C-alpha cells in the first residue's frame, strides 16, 4: 500500500528512511513553534495583541496555531503532492506583518491576517490558471542551479547565525563566536553536533543527521543541568546563553493546546483602514516573496533528492504549488501568518527522504507538538542547526553544473548565489538573477532565448525592488 501511494521503492528509499527524514525535517524547523510567537508578539495600532487582549500576546495560542497549521498543511503536501517538502509559517512575511502592517493607522491583527488570506487566494488563482507553473518552467536551467546553490549557502548561513557561531561583530558585520572565540557551552554543543554528523556521513552511516541532532540535544540538556548557561538576553548581557530555547523540561511535557488565533481574520478590513491602493501594494509585495521563495525552495529540495526531470523541474509541480498556495491562505485564516514551503526540508532529504511520506511524518510531529510543546522546545538552536550547515555543503556541490565559461549564464547564476545569503532573502536572490539574466541576454544578441514570461517577471521584480519609493510616492 505504501509503495502504491508514495512510490517509495521507485524513488530509491525505504519506509524507515522516510520516517527518519521526516523526523530530521521536523527537528530542523521546529524552532518556528517558538520563534513565530516571538515575532508576532507586537501590539497592533489599536493596542491589541494577537490571540489576546491588551495585556500581551497569547504566546501559547500562537504556538499552538503555528504547529496546527504547519501540521495540517504538511500532511496535505505529503498526501496530495507526494513530495518531501514541509510547510510552516514563513519567516520574513511574519516580520512584515508585525513590524510594518499592524502599525499602520487603524490596522488590527485581524486585518493583517485578512491580507494574507487574500494573497493566498491570488496565488492559488495564478496556479490554477497555469501562470505560476509556466513562469517556473520559463526559468533557464543555469539559473535554477544557481538558485539551488544560493539556497544552500543561505540555509548554511541561517544555521551558523542561529547557532551563534557567527554573530554581529564589533566593527565588522559578522565575527566568529564570541569576540572571535568559542567562549560558551552552547557553541561547544553546536560544534560537537556538527562534527558528529560530518564524521558519520564520511563513514556512510545512515541517519547521520538525526543521530547528530539527538546526541547534541542530550548533551545540551546535560550542559544546562550542570553549567546552567541560561538564555541569551535582549540586552546582550549573557552572550554565552542558548540562542532561542533553553534545553530543559520543567513540569509536565503535555499541555492542552489553546487555539484562540484560529479564524481571527477580517477579509476586507484592511481596505477600509488603509485604502485600496495600499492594500494592493502590500498584497503584491507579500505575493512576490511567497511566489519565488517557494519556487527556489522546491527546486533546491528536489535537486538535493535527485528528483528533478531533464528540464530541472520537480515531479507534480502543479500539485506542490497548489498546496503551497492553500497554505498561505490557511496561515492567515489560522491567525499565524502566511505558511509556505520550508527550505529546512532539505535536511530530511539529505538524510534519505524522497517522498511525501516523510512530509506526513513531519506534519504528524507538528500536530503532536500542539500537545507536547515543552518537549519540542527542548531542542535548542545549537543542536538542530548543524543539520542546516551540512545541507548547505550538500547543495553547494551542484555549483559544478553551472556553465562558468558562458558569462551570459554564469553571471546571473553567480549573482543569485551571493545575493540570497547576503540579502537574507531567497526572493531577492532570484530577482537579482532574473533581472541580470534578461539584461545580459538582451545586450549580447541573445534576446530571443529569453522566454516572454521572463520579461513580465523582470518588470514585477523591478517594481518589488522599488517598493519603498513607490510607497513614499503614494503616501503609504
Amino acid at each position: 500500500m505504501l509503495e502504491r501511494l508514495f512510490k517509495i521503492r521507485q524513488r530509491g528509499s525505504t519506509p524507515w528512511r522516510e520516517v527518519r527524514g521526516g523526523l530530521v525535517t521536523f527537528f530542523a524547523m521546529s524552532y518556528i513553534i517558538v520563534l513565530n510567537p516571538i515575532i508576532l508578539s507586537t501590539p497592533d495600532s489599536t493596542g491589541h495583541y494577537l490571540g489576546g487582549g491588551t495585556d500581551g500576546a497569547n504566546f501559547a495560542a500562537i504556538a499552538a496555531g503555528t504547529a496546527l497549521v504547519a501540521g495540517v498543511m504538511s500532511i496535505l503536501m505529503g498526501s496530495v503532492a507526494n513530495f518531501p517538502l514541509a510547510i510552516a509559517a514563513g519567516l520574513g512575511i511574519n516580520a512584515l506583518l508585525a513590524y510594518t502592517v499592524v502599525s499602520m493607522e487603524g490596522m488590527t491583527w485581524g486585518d493583517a491576517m485578512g491580507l494574507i488570506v487574500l494573497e493566498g487566494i491570488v496565488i492559488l488563482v495564478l496556479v490554477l490558471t497555469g501562470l505560476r507553473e509556466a513562469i517556473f518552467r520559463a526559468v533557464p536551467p543555469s539559473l535554477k542551479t544557481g538558485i539551488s546553490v544560493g539556497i544552500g549557502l543561505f540555509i548554511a548561513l541561517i544555521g551558523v547565525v542561529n547557532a551563534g557561531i557567527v554573530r554581529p561583530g564589533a566593527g565588522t558585520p559578522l565575527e566568529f563566536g564570541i569576540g572571535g572565540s568559542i567562549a560558551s557551552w552552547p557553541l561547544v554543543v553546536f560544534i560537537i553536533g556538527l562534527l558528529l554528523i560530518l564524521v558519520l556521513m564520511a563513514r556512510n552511516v545512515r541517519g547521520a543527521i538525526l543521530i547528530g541532532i539527538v546526541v547534541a540535544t542530550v548533551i545540551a540538556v546535560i550542559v544546562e543541568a550542570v553549567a546552567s548557561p541560561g538564555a541569551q538576553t535582549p540586552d546582550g548581557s549573557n552572550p554565552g546563553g542558548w540562542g532561542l530555547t533553553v534545553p530543559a523540561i520543567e513540569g509536565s511535557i503535555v499541555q492542552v493546546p489553546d487555539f484562540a488565533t484560529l479564524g481571527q481574520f477580517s477579509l476586507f478590513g484592511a481596505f477600509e483602514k488603509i485604502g485600496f491602493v495600499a492594500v494592493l501594494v502590500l498584497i503584491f509585495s507579500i505575493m512576490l516573496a511567497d511566489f519565488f521563495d517557494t519556487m527556489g525552495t522546491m527546486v533546491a529540495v528536489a535537486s538535493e533528492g535527485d528528483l528533478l526531470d531533464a528540464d530541472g523541474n520537480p515531479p507534480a509541480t502543479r500539485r506542490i504549488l497548489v498546496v503551497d498556495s492553500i497554505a498561505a491562505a490557511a496561515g492567515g485564516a489560522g491567525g499565524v501568518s502566511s505558511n509556505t514551503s520550508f527550505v529546512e526540508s532539505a535536511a530530511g532529504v539529505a538524510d534519505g527522504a524522497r517522498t511525501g511520506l516523510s512530509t506526513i511524518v513531519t506534519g504528524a510531529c507538528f500536530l503532536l507538538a500542539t500537545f507536547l510543546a515543552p518537549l519540542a522546545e527542548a531542542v535548542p538552536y545549537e543542536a538542530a542547526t548543524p543539520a542546516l550547515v551540512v545541507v548547505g555543503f550538500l547543495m553547494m556541490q551542484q555549483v559544478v553544473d553551472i556553465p562558468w565559461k558562458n558569462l551570459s549564464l554564469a553571471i546571473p547564476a553567480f549573482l543569485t548565489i551571493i545575493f540570497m545569503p547576503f540579502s537574507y532573502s531567497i526572493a531577492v536572490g532570484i530577482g537579482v538573477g532574473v533581472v541580470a539574466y534578461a539584461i545580459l541576454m538582451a545586450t549580447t544578441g541573445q534576446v530571443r532565448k529569453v522566454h516572454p514570461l521572463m520579461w513580465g517577471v523582470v518588470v514585477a521584480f523591478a517594481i518589488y525592488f522599488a517598493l519603498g519609493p513607490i510607497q513614499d510616492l503614494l503616501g503609504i
Side-chain angles (χ1 to χ4, degrees):
M1 183 185 68
L2 288 176
E3 181 61 29
R4 187 172 65 252
L5 291 174
F6 299 106
K7 303 177 182 176
I8 298 174
R9 197 177 303 113
Q10 181 179 323
R11 293 189 182 179
S13 184
T14 66
W16 166 237
R17 287 186 196 172
E18 296 302 305
V19 172
R20 191 180 65 210
L23 290 173
V24 167
T25 296
F26 171 74
F27 284 124
M29 60 188 288
S30 61
Y31 67 85
I32 196 64
I33 300 174
V34 180
L35 188 56
N36 202 41
I38 293 174
I39 294 175
L40 299 180
S41 62
T42 59
D44 59 30
S45 64
T46 67
H48 288 78
Y49 290 84
L50 182 60
T54 58
D55 297 329
N58 188 337
F59 278 79
I62 301 173
T66 299
L68 177 66
V69 177
V72 172
M73 296 314 304
S74 293
I75 290 173
L76 187 64
M77 177 67 81
S79 304
V80 173
N82 189 26
F83 194 66
L85 188 62
I87 290 176
L91 295 174
I93 294 177
N94 53 6
L96 174 66
L97 295 182
Y99 307 135
T100 301
V101 176
V102 297
S103 63
M104 295 179 175
E105 186 174 354
M107 285 288 285
T108 67
W109 274 108
D111 299 331
M113 294 302 169
L115 288 177
I116 298 299
V117 175
L118 290 173
E119 176 258 337
I121 293 173
V122 171
I123 290 187
L124 180 59
V125 171
L126 293 178
V127 174
L128 296 178
T129 57
L131 182 60
R132 191 178 186 186
E133 186 176 359
I135 291 174
F136 169 74
R137 294 184 182 278
V139 177
S142 60
L143 206 52
K144 287 179 180 176
T145 301
I147 289 170
S148 295
V149 175
I151 289 177
L153 291 180
F154 178 49
I155 62 177
L157 179 61
I158 291 175
V160 295
V161 169
N162 286 354
I165 197 72
V166 170
R167 60 183 70 193
T172 59
L174 295 172
E175 70 175 9
F176 176 76
I178 302 174
S181 302
I182 302 171
S184 72
W185 281 111
L187 295 186
V188 172
V189 169
F190 169 81
I191 292 171
I192 291 174
L194 178 60
L195 290 177
L196 177 59
I197 294 174
L198 294 176
V199 169
L200 292 176
M201 286 179 59
R203 295 180 64 86
N204 297 316
V205 175
R206 291 290 184 182
I209 295 178
L210 180 58
I211 293 171
I213 292 174
V214 172
V215 171
T217 300
V218 172
I219 294 173
V221 172
I222 295 172
V223 166
E224 177 60 26
V226 176
S228 301
Q232 293 181 21
T233 53
D235 61 4
S237 59
N238 184 29
W242 303 100
L244 182 62
T245 58
V246 176
I249 300 175
E250 298 179 0
S252 174
I253 64 171
V254 180
Q255 62 183 22
V256 178
D258 177 5
F259 296 122
T261 65
L262 300 189
Q264 299 301 307
F265 69 97
S266 173
L267 200 58
F268 301 108
F271 289 92
E272 301 174 2
K273 306 294 176 54
I274 61 176
F276 185 78
V277 175
V279 168
L280 287 184
V281 171
L282 287 173
I283 289 179
F284 174 78
S285 60
I286 295 170
M287 182 189 72
L288 204 63
D290 248 358
F291 193 107
F292 286 98
D293 272 5
T294 297
M295 187 182 81
T297 301
M298 182 173 62
V299 171
V301 171
S303 180
E304 176 61 33
D306 196 23
L307 299 174
L308 296 174
D309 62 21
D311 297 321
N313 302 313
T317 297
R318 178 165 294 194
R319 292 185 182 183
I320 296 170
L321 295 175
V322 165
V323 176
D324 183 82
S325 303
I326 294 173
V336 292
S337 185
S338 177
N339 272 232
T340 188
S341 304
F342 255 57
V343 72
E344 284 85 349
S345 302
V349 174
D351 208 52
R354 294 292 182 273
T355 75
L357 179 59
S358 67
T359 314
I360 292 175
V361 171
T362 301
C365 289
F366 271 113
L367 294 183
L368 286 174
T370 62
F371 296 92
L372 302 173
L375 190 59
E377 293 170 8
V379 181
Y381 264 161
E382 292 79 2
T385 51
L388 303 185
V389 177
V390 171
V391 171
F393 156 71
L394 295 173
M395 296 176 69
M396 183 70 188
Q397 293 175 311
Q398 301 169 52
V399 75
V400 297
D401 296 329
I402 296 173
W404 292 107
K405 297 296 183 181
N406 186 337
L407 298 187
S408 298
L409 298 177
I411 291 174
F414 169 73
L415 292 175
T416 299
I417 290 170
I418 65 170
F419 269 91
M420 277 190 192
F422 294 165
S423 68
Y424 227 68
S425 170
I426 293 174
V428 168
I430 293 175
V432 171
V434 166
V435 172
Y437 169 76
I439 292 175
L440 288 173
M441 296 300 282
T443 55
T444 56
Q446 305 177 75
V447 68
R448 291 186 179 181
K449 295 182 180 180
V450 181
H451 195 287
L453 284 175
M454 289 291 283
W455 292 109
V457 176
V458 169
V459 172
F461 270 115
I463 296 173
Y464 180 69
F465 291 144
L467 269 179
I470 291 174
Q471 290 175 329
D472 292 339
L473 184 65
L474 296 176
I476 300 174

